[in-house]
Amino acid sequence: MAQVYKKLEIDVNKEVTSIITAVQNDASSRFLDVVLLDGSTAINLTGHEVRIYGVKGDGTEFFNNGEITNATAGRCQFELTSQSLAVARDLNVQIIIYHNNVEILSTQPFKIHVIKSLISASAIESSNEYGALVVL
């Protein structure tokens, strides 16, 4: 399956200025590959969980688990699900680090620009998605 990864280095103390774009309704193909930093130091994610929370342009929300790919290097990945990309407007997101299911650290909110797809024959209706809560 074709997959693309947007690589980001996010300092939890600074505004995210990278331009991130995705296409409406893409499924199982777009991922954020993130290194979480405190200044120039990687945040050690050993023993932690990461989740992504977002508010779509129509006000509906999503809250999904991420995958830690290199804990000591602060590296993790997040799928941009078809539901998170259901609305062709800016998506406001935030990455949150948890320890024992308690929120301990969040990035500053940042935007993902969701571009309208030309294909609309099987449009997906936007709804709330709480994948992280289903797992719990």
Side-chain angles (χ1 to χ4, degrees):
M1 175 177 280
Q3 296 179 335
V4 294
Y5 294 83
K6 172 64 176 177
K7 295 183 185 300
L8 298 168
E9 288 188 350
I10 298 179
D11 183 335
V12 296
N13 300 307
K14 295 183 180 177
E15 179 181 3
V16 177
T17 57
S18 297
I19 297 172
I20 306 162
T21 59
V23 177
Q24 180 185 24
N25 300 327
D26 276 1
S28 302
S29 58
R30 294 190 181 267
F31 296 82
L32 299 180
D33 184 2
V34 179
V35 174
L36 295 172
L37 303 167
D38 176 9
S40 60
T41 305
I43 295 173
N44 189 334
L45 300 173
T46 302
H48 294 78
E49 305 89 38
V50 290
R51 298 186 181 115
I52 188 168
Y53 170 78
V55 179
K56 296 178 265 186
D58 65 356
T60 55
E61 306 170 317
F62 69 92
F63 187 53
N64 291 326
N65 290 318
E67 176 186 353
I68 295 173
T69 55
N70 186 335
T72 56
R75 192 171 196 154
C76 49
Q77 291 181 348
F78 303 90
E79 179 183 354
L80 297 178
T81 63
S82 60
Q83 192 49 243
S84 67
L85 300 176
V87 178
R89 285 189 240 158
D90 283 352
L91 174 63
N92 293 305
V93 299
Q94 192 169 25
I95 295 171
I96 307 164
I97 302 170
Y98 287 81
H99 182 68
N100 295 328
N101 286 323
V102 176
E103 177 181 344
I104 61 167
L105 185 64
S106 301
T107 65
Q108 293 189 19
F110 58 98
K111 292 188 184 311
I112 298 173
H113 303 289
V114 182
I115 300 165
K116 184 170 178 54
S117 174
L118 296 178
I119 302 169
S120 63
S122 60
I124 297 173
E125 183 178 329
S126 178
S127 65
N128 293 312
E129 177 180 59
Y130 298 106
L133 297 178
V134 170
V135 172
L136 294 174

